[in-house]
Amino acid sequence: MKKILKLAAVAAMVLGCSACSQTQEEESSWQDQLIEENTLIVGISPDYPPYESLENGEMVGFDVDMMAELEKYLGVNVEFEQMTFSTIVDAVNLGQVDVGVSGFTYDPERQVLFSDPYLESAQVILTKKDSGIESAADLSGKVVGAQLGTTGADAAAEIEGASVELNQDANILVEALKAGQMDAVVVDLLVAQNYEESDSSLVVLDEPLVDEENGIICSTSNELLMDALNDAIAQFKESDAYEELKTKWGM
């Protein structure tokens, strides 16, 4: 009888511990992975219109408006941390920001989690209309600019015979192109089209160097946060606001 009672007690303890462990798992949530309570800190580089840029000191762009929409689905406050693009991945991995949102496209070397895509994109060549450049093959022996730390820089490096110059700021690269200091710049399709529309001297070549998709990034240790982001992105893409913002920013 005593033996049976002891076995029953042990079983109760095991069940109790199991229930306790299950409760702890249930209590763990993506909000626990945030740096600050009830706040999503977003690393962003506002030099890449129409994704994000500065107008009269105010941050504007598709990504900025998108985060305002995701804020509604996530139920937390969004706070932007302005930084150069090439430092965002490190900031995410070091826990300085929760996520990175700056026209990111998938790159396995970045060693972060990527969300489900929220926009389609590509890496393309932006050049001057009178340059005589009609394809990547025409860039052999030419100077090509690209933004540091981007997949555009990787794509530019694959152009045979081209000399690649990198810079932190995409706007500086385009200004160098217009000034004749570069022969072409490799940037995201939507960014290139934005520059083309704002300056009649520029043209986007038809054939993309590589097709891509845009996503949000976070640390590989924050899987619960990424799950929440993917849920929010899915709801956002089903909303009227998604198409409205694409129209607003020419996406």
Side-chain angles (χ1 to χ4, degrees):
M1 185 66 177
K2 286 182 178 180
K3 187 174 182 180
I4 293 174
L5 289 172
K6 286 180 179 178
L7 289 172
V10 170
M13 289 176 62
V14 170
L15 288 172
C17 289
S18 176
C20 178
S21 175
Q22 185 176 359
T23 300
Q24 289 176 343
E25 289 179 3
E26 290 175 353
E27 289 177 352
S28 179
S29 69
W30 65 268
Q31 289 94 338
D32 297 330
Q33 297 181 335
L34 298 178
I35 298 169
E36 295 183 11
E37 186 177 355
N38 201 44
T39 301
L40 184 72
I41 302 176
V42 180
I44 191 168
S45 177
D47 60 351
Y48 220 48
Y51 289 97
E52 46 271 316
S53 61
L54 293 175
E55 290 186 3
N56 300 318
E58 180 182 358
M59 207 177 306
V60 298
F62 182 90
D63 285 348
V64 178
D65 287 348
M66 176 183 70
M67 292 312 301
E69 291 297 318
L70 296 188
E71 183 179 59
K72 302 173 186 177
Y73 300 115
L74 293 169
V76 296
N77 299 318
V78 169
E79 179 180 302
F80 290 105
E81 186 71 31
Q82 185 176 332
M83 54 186 65
T84 57
F85 182 84
S86 62
T87 63
I88 296 178
V89 170
D90 285 342
V92 164
N93 286 327
L94 292 172
Q96 296 170 346
V97 296
D98 295 304
V99 301
V101 181
S102 210
F104 276 98
T105 49
Y106 179 73
D107 182 350
E109 294 185 2
R110 285 177 171 152
Q111 298 182 343
V112 290
L113 294 179
F114 279 83
S115 74
D116 295 335
Y118 61 87
L119 283 174
E120 293 183 353
S121 187
Q123 292 301 318
V124 297
I125 296 169
L126 179 70
T127 188
K128 298 183 75 172
K129 284 184 177 179
D130 60 0
S131 67
I133 296 169
E134 298 180 357
S135 70
D138 296 328
L139 290 172
S140 179
K142 306 289 187 181
V143 179
V144 178
Q147 191 174 21
L148 184 66
T150 65
T151 53
D154 296 334
E158 294 296 319
I159 299 175
E160 187 173 353
S163 175
V164 180
E165 292 190 6
L166 303 177
N167 193 286
Q168 294 275 14
D169 194 317
N171 292 322
I172 292 176
L173 291 169
V174 176
E175 288 303 316
L177 169 64
K178 291 192 287 186
Q181 298 167 359
M182 293 181 176
D183 299 289
V185 173
V186 176
V187 290
D188 282 73
L189 172 62
L190 299 173
V191 176
Q193 290 174 335
N194 184 76
Y195 283 119
E196 181 184 45
E197 290 172 5
S198 62
D199 191 322
S200 60
S201 70
L202 302 177
V203 63
V204 181
L205 300 192
D206 291 334
E207 188 174 352
L209 296 175
V210 59
D211 291 316
E212 297 179 321
E213 295 175 315
N214 299 123
I216 300 172
I217 65 168
C218 78
S219 168
T220 55
S221 62
N222 289 355
E223 292 183 358
L224 294 176
L225 172 56
M226 183 53 75
D227 289 342
L229 287 168
N230 282 332
D231 287 342
I233 289 170
Q235 294 179 75
F236 168 58
K237 290 177 71 175
E238 290 294 322
S239 71
D240 292 337
Y242 180 62
E243 293 302 327
E244 290 169 2
L245 291 183
K246 285 175 67 177
T247 299
K248 174 183 177 180
W249 295 107
M251 304 304 217

